[in-house]
């Protein structure tokens, strides 16, 4: 399996981001902290944010809309 590097500065790949998000990280800073590092140049924050949003969207149950009475 080929793993895409998400954060070049800290050598964090897509699996590492997913692991951090599964463990509860909900921000790029929290993902970095999960791996014991800090955001350096910041170029990874948009991609990490998108990965977090994708994970949250998949995990949030979709409530059907109910008709008003």
């Amino acid at each position: 399996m080929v793993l895409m590097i998400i954060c070049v500065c800290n050598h964090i790949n897509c699996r590492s981001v997913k692991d951090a998000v599964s463990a509860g990280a909900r921000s790029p800073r929290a993902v970095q902290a999960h791996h014991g590092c800090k955001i350096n140049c910041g170029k990874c924050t948009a991609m990490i944010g998108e990965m977090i949003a994708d994970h949250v969207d998949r995990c949030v149950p979709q409530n059907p809309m109910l008709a008003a009475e």
Side-chain angles (χ1 to χ4, degrees):
M1 171 187 237
V2 176
L3 298 175
M4 183 170 74
I5 298 294
I6 304 299
C7 176
V8 176
C9 298
N10 293 308
H11 307 286
I12 295 176
N13 61 38
C14 57
R15 180 179 290 164
S16 299
V17 173
K18 289 177 185 178
D19 290 345
V21 173
S22 293
R26 292 295 178 265
S27 70
R29 189 176 311 276
V31 169
Q32 296 279 356
H34 178 82
H35 294 291
C37 51
K38 295 185 214 177
I39 295 172
N40 189 13
C41 75
K43 291 182 180 179
C44 63
T45 57
M47 177 60 100
I48 293 173
E50 288 177 24
M51 293 176 75
I52 292 168
D54 288 345
H55 176 81
V56 170
D57 287 347
R58 281 193 312 269
C59 293
V60 173
Q62 299 296 321
N63 294 328
M65 294 184 72
L66 301 175
E69 293 182 25

